[in-house]
DNA sequence: ACAAAAGTGTTTCCAGTACACCCATGT
DNA sequence: ACATGGGTGTACTGGAAACACTTTTGT
């Protein structure tokens, strides 16, 4: 009996290459992860990241973008390779190496229908369900990478809507670093980077007074980058 | 005519997984890279990193260690995954994804015969020959990673013999960062990390007075790591 | 008037940097 | 005695961190 099942789990004469996407979003002041329900055996119905085999005629990064688009409808978002996972028995079904890639998306922009079709849900980063295979490890590694990267590149902006307030940005950074930051020092710091364009609009959804909206200034960021600037935040 | 050759170069019905090793060493005050001569067509005789396909029954990191051992005779050295390279046309022969791993070895410990058999030579990091495929990119990425890592983890020690002097360590860091460091500040900094054991011996090969030898204190390093210590060097 | 979030400056402290001289020893 | 690299201390500076009150406005 078990023999037959085991056989099914042992198609290991061939090397497969997959990519798995760690999709971060930011909503209601919380850093969140998009978690899927696995639709195929083995481990059908379990929580997992979304992934796919890399096609023969497809660049690795393109495969990641394809998966992301299939799952969320989003294109042209921040996506970065994380690490390869290659333990020989990491997947009971195949001999499969997976290259994990992580994406930062604007949670107000994704295609809800698509996500629903995939049986996906957003989970707060500190309330994640158990994931299959080595996906827990991937998420942990991605969190570490995100914390690290957020410190030296202004990638936090990728998670916010185009227009955002400084308090919003601070809450995001607090969610990434998982600690509180001083509002005065934070404001001083981000403004001193010279990559924010202040707008003439206010966001009044969170206070009566309203907070000024800002845009990220990509041009100035590029200019400063090439001139060797230090972007350490918080 | 060309058709036939092209055909040879187009065995792309299958996905291959390889690993390439970026092997750093430190000798005579210079940071060096071990460069190989490719032994098989296509591109036979060209300069390249050493690599291998990952075996079906082999963990990814184990594959890297196997390659390193085959080329240098060394085991148990520092080795770390760098990045996956997955452009669909990165290799004219196969549809092949390569996971680059970089190693830091003690240049006085490797097996010279083995290296010779492989037609390998050490090149100073700023005098590298052109390498095949995307290997130049791999080396660049590895250099970047090495600079970055050396700043936050004391991995520099992996490149030195077990016993080393502080001036030696400084020269190594200068080679990694490719800039000069102040001797007093450097000494202050590394000693303040509390991960060096001073020995009662001196190395007199570079001066009449002699410089005290030190060992890296792995136990203390582990202890400090878990207590959340900042290891930024230089 | 008051509640609730936005916005603003100053002081303290530490770590990075710059910098110049004495020490030990083999020749 | 002297040349050569090893080893040491101090003053300065700039950025990080700590810290409390005023402003705006919808209710």
């Amino acid at each position: 009996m078990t023999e037959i099942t085991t056989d099914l789990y042992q198609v290991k004469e061939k090397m497969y290459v997959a990519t798995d996407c760690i999709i971060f979003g930011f909503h209601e002041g919380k850093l969140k992860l998009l978690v899927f329900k696995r639709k195929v055996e083995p481990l059908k119905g379990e929580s997992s990241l979304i992934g796919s085999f890399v096609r023969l005629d497809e660049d690795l990064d393109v495969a990641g973008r394809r998966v992301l688009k299939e799952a969320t409808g989003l294109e042209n978002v921040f996506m970065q390779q994380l690490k390869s996972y290659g333990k020989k028995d990491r997947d009971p079904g195949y001999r499969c190496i997976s290259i994990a890639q992580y994406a930062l998306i604007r949670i107000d922009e994704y295609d809800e229908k698509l996500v629903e079709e995939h049986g996906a849900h957003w989970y707060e980063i500190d309330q994640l369900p158990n994931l299959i295979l080595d996906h827990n490890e991937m998420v942990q590694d991605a969190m570490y990478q995100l914390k690290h990267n957020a410190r030296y590149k202004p990638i936090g902006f990728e998670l916010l809507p185009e227009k955002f307030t400084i308090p919003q940005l601070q809450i995001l950074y607090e969610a990434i670093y998982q600690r509180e930051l001083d509002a005065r020092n934070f404001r001083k710091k981000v403004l001193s980077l010279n990559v924010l364009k202040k707008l003439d609009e206010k966001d009044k959804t969170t206070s009566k007074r309203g907070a000024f909206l800002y845009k990220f200034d990509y041009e100035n960021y590029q200019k400063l980058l090439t001139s060797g600037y230090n972007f350490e935040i918080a």
Side-chain angles (χ1 to χ4, degrees), chain A:
Chain A
M1 263 300 267
T2 38
E3 291 286 310
I4 296 167
T5 338
T6 335
D7 268 27
L8 268 175
Y9 281 53
Q10 300 274 346
V11 196
K12 296 207 176 177
E13 309 86 37
K14 199 180 149 185
M15 183 73 85
Y16 289 85
V17 175
T19 186
D20 287 300
C21 289
I22 298 131
I23 304 171
F24 288 107
F26 180 64
H27 189 51
E28 293 170 343
K30 306 281 185 181
L31 189 62
K32 298 188 179 184
L33 184 77
L34 194 54
V35 175
F36 294 76
K37 287 285 173 207
R38 179 140 161 152
K39 288 195 169 170
V40 294
E41 292 293 353
L43 301 170
K44 186 171 170 177
E46 300 282 308
S47 291
S48 114
L49 298 174
I50 192 163
S52 163
F53 291 123
V54 177
R55 294 180 183 157
L56 283 173
D57 62 346
E58 180 181 57
D59 291 348
L60 177 55
D61 57 328
V62 172
R65 295 183 184 284
R66 171 173 55 79
V67 171
L68 187 68
K69 183 167 183 199
E70 282 169 10
T72 66
L74 292 175
E75 293 179 272
N76 294 111
V77 301
F78 177 92
M79 186 154 205
Q80 189 167 294
Q81 201 186 110
L82 177 63
K83 194 181 150 187
S84 298
Y85 295 79
K87 287 253 169 260
K88 61 175 185 285
D89 51 4
R90 59 175 290 281
D91 188 315
Y94 308 92
R95 173 58 174 117
C96 179
I97 282 181
S98 176
I99 295 103
Q101 318 202 44
Y102 76 99
L104 304 182
I105 76 168
R106 301 186 168 152
I107 216 161
D108 56 333
E109 292 181 357
Y110 73 88
D111 184 329
E112 295 192 31
K113 276 177 218 153
L114 266 179
V115 166
E116 219 165 285
E117 281 171 27
H118 283 85
H121 288 282
W122 290 100
Y123 283 84
E124 288 182 30
I125 209 69
D126 47 9
Q127 294 175 19
L128 292 177
N130 189 46
L131 306 178
I132 62 168
L133 309 183
D134 46 11
H135 290 193
N136 292 310
E137 193 190 340
M138 291 179 182
V139 172
Q140 276 209 321
D141 292 346
M143 261 312 283
Y144 180 85
Q145 184 82 346
L146 178 58
K147 278 189 203 182
H148 189 84
N149 274 346
R151 209 179 180 87
Y152 298 103
K153 298 178 196 171
I155 58 175
F157 304 100
E158 307 286 345
L159 288 158
L160 291 174
E162 205 190 340
K163 299 174 182 180
F164 53 87
T165 68
I166 291 187
Q168 275 168 29
L169 186 62
Q170 181 180 342
I171 291 166
L172 168 60
Y173 271 87
E174 290 178 335
I176 293 175
Y177 295 147
Q178 295 170 312
R179 67 185 173 90
E180 295 193 345
L181 301 171
D182 179 87
R184 281 164 294 188
N185 293 337
F186 183 80
R187 178 181 295 267
K188 227 183 301 170
K189 189 71 167 284
V190 295
L191 288 178
S192 75
L193 298 178
N194 282 318
V195 291
L196 294 189
K197 274 192 293 227
K198 188 174 184 175
L199 305 178
D200 257 343
E201 297 170 70
K202 283 191 168 188
D203 169 55
K204 297 212 167 189
T205 56
T206 52
S207 81
K208 295 159 185 175
R209 179 178 177 179
F212 277 103
L213 286 162
Y214 289 80
K215 270 189 175 178
F216 185 70
D217 185 338
Y218 287 95
E219 296 86 54
N220 206 20
Y221 173 58
Q222 283 305 330
K223 256 190 276 173
L224 290 168
L225 258 195
T226 52
S227 69
Y229 201 78
N230 177 22
F231 277 99
E232 200 167 342
I233 295 171

